[in-house]
Amino acid sequence: EAGVAQSPRYKIIEKRQSVAFWCNPISGHATLYWYQQILGQGPKLLIQFQNNGVVDDSQLPKDRFSAERLKGVDSTLKIQPAKLEDSAVYLCASSLDRLHEQYFGPGTRLTVT
Amino acid sequence: GEDVEQSLFLSVREGDSSVINCTYTDSSSTYLYWYKQEPGAGLQLLTYIFSNMDMKQDQRLTVLLNKKDKHLSLRIADTQTGDSAIYFCAEIRESNTGKLIFGQGTTLQVKP
């Protein structure tokens, strides 16, 4: 079974630029999560989708971050404009349903200069 | 609060047992997880325990749960150099949507 796929793996941008990340979850997984992991910390949830609907986006900085999962499969996370403090690893995870085990992709390491 | 706390660093010799500790705050937590993160990689699910269990064993891994003290531990028997990584405990709560609350991670260093 293929795991969670993410691209790109690395991205370097200047502050105030925009960037987008892509995630393809495990086939059949209804729930998709985006986490932000700042160096030296544990991951923190940004947004959670159940199929193509948003379940929890309480920690998403909505003035600059947006995410969508239009067909209930792939998802994109966008940052516009980026700030220095957005430098982090962005992890996508999926699970069969809520309260099931979450499986993580390799992450996208973003550096904002 | 939402804090899950772990000690930051543990160093052991190859062949010894490692014990990584975690404390959590929400007594309504249903599942507690252990994830492993190697450099430059995502998080790998190692094991989990349901809150009505005290212990779970899976090959070299033993998870102990003390609900009264809200304390979770992961024991790795016969630790190998390939076990060197950051270990995260995380809790999932019935009261929320299923999001994981992570600790800050324990770096395990295994010396040959």
Side-chain angles (χ1 to χ4, degrees), chain A residues 9-10 33 35 37 40-43 45 48 55-56 58-59 91 98-107 109, chain B residues 8 30-31 33 35 37 40-45 48 88 92-94 96-105:
Chain A
R9 291 296 313 276
Y10 305 92
Y33 311 79
Y35 289 86
Q37 186 180 18
Q41 298 181 20
L45 182 72
Q48 176 185 347
V55 173
D56 183 350
S58 57
Q59 300 302 307
L91 294 162
R98 303 182 204 183
L99 301 182
H100 282 75
E101 308 90 81
Q102 295 181 28
Y103 295 91
F104 284 77
R109 182 176 297 278
Chain B
L8 294 182
T30 54
Y31 289 93
Y33 294 84
Y35 282 87
Q37 187 174 40
L43 276 71
Q44 174 194 351
L45 177 63
Y48 64 92
F88 292 94
I92 192 167
R93 300 171 190 170
E94 191 172 27
N96 73 10
T97 55
K99 76 176 181 182
L100 288 172
I101 308 299
F102 284 88
Q104 67 271 51

Side-chain angles (χ1 to χ4, degrees), chain B residues 8 10-11 25 32 38 41 45 47 49 58-59 63-64 71-72 77 88 100-101 107-108:
Chain B
L8 294 182
L10 175 66
S11 181
T25 56
L32 295 126
E38 296 181 84
L45 177 63
T47 188
I49 189 167
D58 184 0
Q59 298 182 336
V63 179
L64 294 177
H71 183 264
L72 181 73
F88 292 94
L100 288 172
I101 308 299
T107 298
L108 175 64

Side-chain angles (χ1 to χ4, degrees), chain B residues 11-16 79-82 84 109-112:
Chain B
S11 181
V12 301
R13 292 228 170 261
E14 193 173 20
D16 288 350
T79 312
Q80 303 297 307
T81 54
S84 293
Q109 179 189 67
V110 183
K111 297 179 181 177

Side-chain angles (χ1 to χ4, degrees), chain B residues 10-107:
Chain B
L10 175 66
S11 181
V12 301
R13 292 228 170 261
E14 193 173 20
D16 288 350
S17 291
S18 307
V19 180
I20 302 170
N21 295 300
C22 171
T23 57
Y24 58 99
T25 56
D26 193 332
S27 57
S28 68
S29 294
T30 54
Y31 289 93
L32 295 126
Y33 294 84
W34 285 102
Y35 282 87
K36 175 184 180 182
Q37 187 174 40
E38 296 181 84
L43 276 71
Q44 174 194 351
L45 177 63
L46 286 178
T47 188
Y48 64 92
I49 189 167
F50 188 54
S51 58
N52 67 353
M53 298 169 65
D54 297 324
M55 186 183 86
K56 180 178 179 182
Q57 188 153 2
D58 184 0
Q59 298 182 336
R60 292 191 297 124
L61 304 178
T62 303
V63 179
L64 294 177
L65 176 61
N66 181 330
K67 280 198 74 174
K68 175 177 170 290
D69 295 336
K70 300 190 186 69
H71 183 264
L72 181 73
S73 67
L74 174 70
R75 179 177 180 269
I76 306 173
D78 187 25
T79 312
Q80 303 297 307
T81 54
D83 295 325
S84 293
I86 302 175
Y87 290 80
F88 292 94
C89 68
E91 59 174 339
I92 192 167
R93 300 171 190 170
E94 191 172 27
S95 59
N96 73 10
T97 55
K99 76 176 181 182
L100 288 172
I101 308 299
F102 284 88
Q104 67 271 51
T106 299
T107 298

Side-chain angles (χ1 to χ4, degrees), chain A residues 35-90:
Chain A
Y35 289 86
Q36 180 192 57
Q37 186 180 18
I38 292 172
L39 187 65
Q41 298 181 20
K44 288 184 169 55
L45 182 72
L46 291 174
I47 188 167
Q48 176 185 347
F49 292 93
Q50 183 72 13
N51 297 307
N52 60 351
V54 174
V55 173
D56 183 350
D57 64 356
S58 57
Q59 300 302 307
L60 188 75
K62 297 180 188 63
D63 58 334
R64 298 183 301 105
F65 286 63
S66 64
E68 58 184 15
R69 193 186 184 199
L70 291 174
K71 296 182 179 177
V73 180
D74 293 4
S75 177
T76 55
L77 176 70
K78 296 179 182 176
I79 308 175
Q80 182 180 7
K83 293 185 175 181
L84 295 176
E85 60 260 35
D86 298 332
S87 293
V89 176
Y90 290 85

